[in-house]
Amino acid sequence: MSITPFIRIGIDIGGTFTDLQILDERDGALRSLKTPTTPEDPSIGLLAGLREAADRHGFALSDIRLLLHGTTIATNAVLERRLARGVLLTTAGFEDVLEIGRHSRRDIYGLKPAHEAPLIPRDRRLGVPERIRADGGVERAPEPAAIAALIDRLAALEAEAVAVCLLNAHVNPAHEQLLARALRQARPDLPVCLSSEISPEIREYERSSTTVLNTLLMPVVGAYLQRLTGRLAEAGIGARLLLVQSNSGVCGAETAALQPARLLLSGPSGGALATLRMAEALARPNLLGVDMGGTSYDVCVVRDGAVTRMTQGEIDHLPVRLPMIEIRTIGSGGGSLASVDEAGRLKVGPRSAGSRPGPACYGRGGTEPAVTDANLALGRLDPRFFLGGAMPLDAAASARAVAEHVGAPLGLETPAAAAGILAVTDTNLAAAARLSLFEKGLDPRDFSLLSFGGAGGLHAIPVAEELGIPEVIFPADASTFSAFGILHSDIVHDVARSRVMPAAPESLPRIGDFLDALRQQGAALLDADGVAPADRRLAVAADLRYRGQAFELVTPWEEPAAEPAALERLLAAFHAAHRQRFSYSNPEAPVELVALRLSATGLLARAEARRAPGRGAERAPEARRVWLGDGWREVPVHQRERLTGRIAGPALIEEEYTTIYLGPGWDCAPGPEATLIARRAGTEAAR
């Protein structure tokens, strides 16, 4: 007799560790696991984590029903330029759009500003003799002979993938589709991406950049997914595999292989989703979520119970015109390396030790001091209980690395040098969080700080002090909290129609046609995912701007309909949003509609979850020597599993995969949803 699989797992593969949240849907038991990432092939570490979870928690690999997978595979491929050799087919005369860009200068004072080379060089950007007019009419159709000649050149150019981005293809994709049919017939082995499929919107440069990025990632992500699915099958895992997208929803492996650019913020978006869920559960609509892992520090803002979603972001200065959660990321994590430059300045990050060799204390050959080494050298980490005791640390190696690379160059004793590393780190972290709030006109004092990630607990209190935030919340299983967000994801598809038209009654017939087309497209995508009608949610938004503006505001359309009253409500929402964002609005000015967007959500089945006790409850309270800036002091060490009442800092709170540093002048007590809530003495909770 076969037994229905009952294990649901959320996976977040980071640069240093792979985090798992395991939900047993029979009794709702929720457990966490952390295992080192294998950079050479992340699927190896993923399978190792699944096997360890099965052994530790007593289930078979065949019991896994659902795998929800967040990954940095696409992000790292772009950052490291490990991309396929691509060719761009574009309208003749527009081959240099990708290189011309927007002529924006990031370093306005630089005499010789750096200019990044395009991802596809000039000799592999080929012009197609064709033209679609702005109204969608055909000015010139591509000739069969010209198409055949282009296909012949692909072999000589050793193309591994082809991007097709023709002028005005977002209005009429006929010519792109014609090229795709010819390419796939002649070269069925060659990945082809059309701009009208990945980013059917105005602005040629952004559409070209997005299409090229997606194209060059297709072989990379496709090969990874092929390896992963093969390993899953060999291990007897028949679970449904869903990949986390930048919009915080998930999609099937087939969609991810065809549109890998949607995975560029895959891991961090899980943390944003978890932050949003915690804001709802704790009734704290203003929450600043900060995720400090081994490699990076990610900041997301929940304001008035909602996260900010963007229609365009960028990675490594490359624009990506796709919906994504707004997240600020800096290269500062537990593995970030400290060094002293030629001017005698102490720097921390963005270089990272990663998981191999890792910080010096890992004992894997690393010799440079990382943030983790500084924390260990100051007594804030227990070398016997790192990763729940699964990975003992070498405290002597940390002290040597700090002394040699920071202490000696600066003439400081080891404790002072390690404290300097943490001071620089905390300042960098606070600056990233401050910018995420200030750029929106928000006051940090109105927010609570939600700290998660394996290294976050050691830095949350100093960061909150720099920001003036009075309350810090530490969720249960903080080290794997992004995987918790991933575990509770839903299927989400974002589709758009881009046309510039007056947001006025005369445009209602066209608006109605676009709404109908978007709803049909969304329904077809959810049909392909097997989502039942009762589990579907459709949300519409409009990109609006005052006529003459060069930017738009994405405005949710609560009751979309091609009716004057519905349009009036949309315009009122736009004026209000413009006033909030820019401190003014002009209801008398004409408004343009630039795009309509639909988010089609397929709700995945939910199971009640309760956190199972972690390892550490059996450890007795103790004290440890910790450097507090003015000397060594005996500081009490509490086990989170045993904590039942309020404690005052300075203190350390340990759990299986992370440690919390509670500074002087702060106290901490258990809160709802298995959280710990720390407050500065004499302050009330933020709202």
Side-chain angles (χ1 to χ4, degrees), residues 36 69 84 114 213 222 433 507 582 630 635:
H69 177 13
L213 264 174
S507 300
F582 302 109
D630 56 355
V635 169

Side-chain angles (χ1 to χ4, degrees), residues 324-366:
M324 58 184 65
I325 299 288
E326 185 176 23
I327 297 171
R328 185 178 303 280
T329 299
I330 63 171
S332 189
S336 295
L337 295 172
S339 61
V340 178
D341 66 14
E342 295 178 354
R345 295 178 300 176
L346 175 59
K347 300 173 62 177
V348 182
R351 288 193 309 125
S352 175
S355 60
R356 296 180 183 175
C361 59
Y362 282 15
R364 295 175 175 169

